[in-house]
Amino acid sequence: MKTVAILIFPDFLMLDMSGPAETFTVANRFLPADAGYRLVLISATQTDIRASNGIRVLADTTIAEPAESYDLLLVVGGPGAYSGRPP
Amino acid sequence: MKTVAILIFPDFLMLDMSGPAETFTVANRFLPADAGYRLVLISATQTDIRASNGIRVLADTTIAEPAESYDLLLVVGGPGAYSGRPP
């Protein structure tokens, strides 16, 4: 089992999260359970976070919490990445 | 302003929601505010709802609440659509 973390922030582009998330989810259908991928959604701020399309998602944890170790970390893009302040 | 409602349910396919949502959001950039699209996310069950990729989203309302009138209603697909029971 490998862990894939996706880091999101306010005004993130939802497709940048859902596209890769779907890829790993579909891959899991074809892999033995112990060789599959576990997704962890990390928020740069609070766990209830709004994408640039207005839809809110609930992250599993925030960067303020002690991190476990991840096999892969994906950082999404989106309008919030250009706000001029750290997300 | 036109209202676009997206109906989701447990185990819905997140890309079925985020793809169309992004389309209308990008369209809004090129339209006058009063000619743009407003998205409303409706859940078939509770507002905190988990997609088939494991990510949870927060709906704006549920079908149990009195509905406003929408210009367009999109119903997503996903593994939850084949569960054999109404979502």
Side-chain angles (χ1 to χ4, degrees):
Chain A
M1 173 73 66
K2 289 192 184 296
T3 307
V4 177
I6 305 179
L7 179 66
I8 60 174
F9 46 81
D11 252 356
F12 73 100
L13 188 73
M14 183 169 276
L15 280 176
D16 272 10
M17 172 191 77
S18 44
E22 217 56 54
T23 305
F24 290 108
T25 303
V26 171
N28 280 344
R29 286 195 225 151
F30 301 94
L31 292 169
D34 61 350
Y37 298 96
R38 185 173 69 87
L39 294 175
V40 179
L41 195 58
I42 309 174
S43 166
T45 55
Q46 77 279 15
T47 52
D48 170 350
I49 199 156
R50 191 179 290 275
S52 60
N53 62 15
I55 296 175
R56 286 178 301 158
V57 305
L58 285 170
D60 299 306
T61 186
T62 73
I63 53 174
E65 299 300 314
E68 48 178 318
S69 115
Y70 307 115
D71 295 291
L72 183 66
L73 172 65
L74 302 174
V75 181
V76 304
Y82 304 98
S83 63
R85 52 183 167 70
Chain B
M1 173 73 68
K2 289 191 184 299
T3 307
V4 177
I6 305 179
L7 180 66
I8 60 174
F9 46 82
D11 253 355
F12 73 99
L13 188 73
M14 183 168 276
L15 280 177
D16 272 9
M17 173 191 77
S18 45
E22 216 57 52
T23 306
F24 289 109
T25 302
V26 171
N28 280 344
R29 286 196 224 151
F30 301 94
L31 293 168
D34 61 351
Y37 298 97
R38 186 173 68 87
L39 294 175
V40 179
L41 195 59
I42 309 175
S43 166
T45 55
Q46 77 278 16
T47 51
D48 171 350
I49 198 155
R50 192 180 290 275
S52 61
N53 61 15
I55 296 175
R56 288 178 301 157
V57 305
L58 286 169
D60 298 305
T61 186
T62 72
I63 54 174
E65 298 299 314
E68 49 178 317
S69 114
Y70 305 115
D71 296 291
L72 183 66
L73 173 66
L74 301 174
V75 181
V76 304
Y82 306 97
S83 62
R85 52 182 166 72

